[in-house]
Amino acid sequence: VVDYVMGSTVEGYEDLGLTITEGRSTRLPRKANKSAQTPVRFTDTGYADDLCLVSDTLAEAQILLGRLETAASEVGLLMNQKKTEYMCFNQTGTSLKSKEDKDLKRVDDFKYLGSWINTTERDLKIRIAKAWAASNKLDKIWKSSLSRKLKVHFFRATVETVLLYGAECWTLTKQQQKRIDGCYTRLLRATLNVSWKQRMTNKILYGDIPPISQTIRERRLRFAGHCYRAKEEVVSTVLMWKPLHGNRCVRKPARTYLDLIEKDTGLNGGDLEAVMAEVLVKIIIPVDHRLS
């Protein structure tokens, strides 16, 4: 039913979606006698009944929202106005309104499928807090006489998974990477009951456990490869997207997801796309030996 509603919403109004202009890929068809590639647009993302509309402008988003409410009402569904929020970038003007002419809530950030989507910083702070909460609940296990091997397996299956939820999509700065490495070390020390007074080196503490920043890089590359090879999905196009419209800030620009992929692999442009197109790719990631 939800698929039918979304199909009815965007049918004939695909031009109202967010404009994507792929700067590197040559997979998109070119207009006749023109070197510019045909623009690609996408209007929505969705998982089950969690829907997200995307547009270039507020006015276009208002049109899509109205069509969504109309299509939903035809099959007996209603939009929950109290739970519906919207976020804008570089937009000024009136607010979004429901069919009842009520203003929807405008926010600077919101949680979608368990992750805060505006910046990595907030999501990282929340993940660290949740990981510590999960670790503290298992304090009796950490202080038990279980072997190190069992404790580590239990730690990685419970606490580490909480810490790394959504980590494949993070764009970490060097400072954030150091913070999460330090957090992981302290969590591991708490798990194994290793006090700082014991002066145990991180090399001995970790054993065969890879640094968490390395685990994140591996998961990010695996996720990016899956997305790129899903050619029938819009995420394959968005992954390699570098906006050609608008201007970036004067100060040092924020690192993008594509910047991280290029840094992780040491490749860019066509070379990167050729590697990611392979189903079985082994990329050797240098290990940060500073943990020792």
Side-chain angles (χ1 to χ4, degrees):
V1 175
V2 175
D3 288 340
Y4 169 79
V5 170
M6 289 308 307
S8 300
T9 299
V10 302
E11 185 177 4
Y13 287 79
E14 292 82 1
D15 289 346
L16 298 183
L18 178 68
T19 302
I20 301 297
T21 304
E22 210 167 88
R24 293 178 180 269
S25 175
T26 58
R27 295 180 296 110
L28 299 177
R30 297 176 181 271
K31 292 182 179 180
N33 301 322
K34 291 185 179 181
S35 60
Q37 293 176 337
T38 303
V40 175
R41 298 180 177 89
F42 76 96
T43 54
D44 63 278
T45 63
Y47 182 82
D49 60 345
D50 291 323
L51 305 178
C52 179
L53 299 177
V54 190
S55 293
D56 284 330
T57 65
L58 271 172
E60 293 176 349
Q62 183 66 70
I63 296 174
L64 284 179
L65 180 63
R67 288 184 56 81
L68 174 64
E69 289 189 87
T70 300
S73 63
E74 292 176 354
V75 293
L77 298 178
L78 297 175
M79 181 185 74
N80 190 322
Q81 298 180 20
K82 293 182 179 179
K83 293 184 178 180
T84 303
E85 301 173 342
Y86 72 98
M87 183 169 59
C88 295
F89 297 95
N90 303 321
Q91 293 286 318
T92 58
T94 58
S95 62
L96 286 182
K97 297 179 181 293
S98 65
K99 288 182 65 176
E100 289 75 18
D101 201 36
K102 294 182 179 179
D103 290 340
L104 300 180
K105 184 179 180 181
R106 179 169 178 170
V107 296
D108 295 326
D109 196 2
F110 64 81
K111 185 166 65 174
Y112 185 64
L113 300 182
S115 296
W116 293 89
I117 67 171
N118 192 2
T119 64
T120 296
E121 179 65 24
R122 182 174 185 181
D123 203 36
L124 180 60
K125 289 181 179 179
I126 293 175
R127 286 292 111 201
I128 290 175
K130 287 183 177 293
W132 274 111
S135 178
N136 292 336
K137 290 180 180 179
L138 300 172
D139 191 57
K140 289 184 179 180
I141 295 178
W142 307 150
K143 293 181 178 179
S144 69
S145 58
L146 290 175
S147 66
R148 171 193 165 97
K149 183 177 181 180
L150 282 176
K151 286 183 179 181
V152 168
H153 282 313
F154 203 73
F155 167 77
R156 300 198 69 183
T158 55
V159 179
E160 183 180 304
T161 53
V162 172
L163 179 65
L164 296 187
Y165 180 82
E168 298 88 347
C169 299
W170 288 348
T171 52
L172 294 173
T173 63
K174 290 182 179 179
Q175 182 180 3
Q176 291 168 340
Q177 182 174 308
K178 290 181 180 178
R179 190 195 312 169
I180 196 169
D181 275 330
C183 172
Y184 192 81
T185 299
R186 291 188 292 274
L187 284 167
L188 191 56
R189 285 180 178 272
T191 298
L192 301 176
N193 290 308
V194 176
S195 170
W196 63 272
K197 296 179 181 179
Q198 296 178 243
R199 298 183 179 276
M200 180 184 292
T201 64
N202 287 340
K203 184 175 182 180
I204 297 175
L205 176 69
Y206 274 71
D208 58 354
I209 303 174
I212 197 65
S213 55
Q214 179 182 337
T215 302
I216 293 174
R217 287 197 294 269
E218 291 174 349
R219 291 176 62 166
R220 179 166 56 232
L221 289 174
R222 190 179 300 113
F223 175 71
H226 288 322
C227 290
Y228 182 79
R229 292 188 291 274
K231 297 299 181 66
E232 71 282 0
E233 303 292 341
V234 70
V235 69
S236 179
T237 302
V238 175
L239 183 70
M240 307 300 291
W241 177 43
K242 281 194 172 181
L244 300 180
H245 56 285
N247 298 309
R248 300 185 79 170
C249 58
V250 177
R251 63 182 183 276
K252 184 179 179 180
R255 182 176 293 177
T256 66
Y257 192 76
L258 182 55
D259 291 336
L260 282 181
I261 298 299
E262 292 177 346
K263 182 181 178 182
D264 290 340
T265 60
L267 303 171
N268 54 47
D271 292 336
L272 177 59
E273 294 190 30
V275 169
M276 294 180 69
E278 298 294 332
V279 176
L280 298 177
V281 178
K282 182 178 180 181
I283 300 175
I284 300 176
I285 303 175
V287 178
D288 191 346
H289 295 287
R290 288 175 296 177
L291 287 173
S292 59

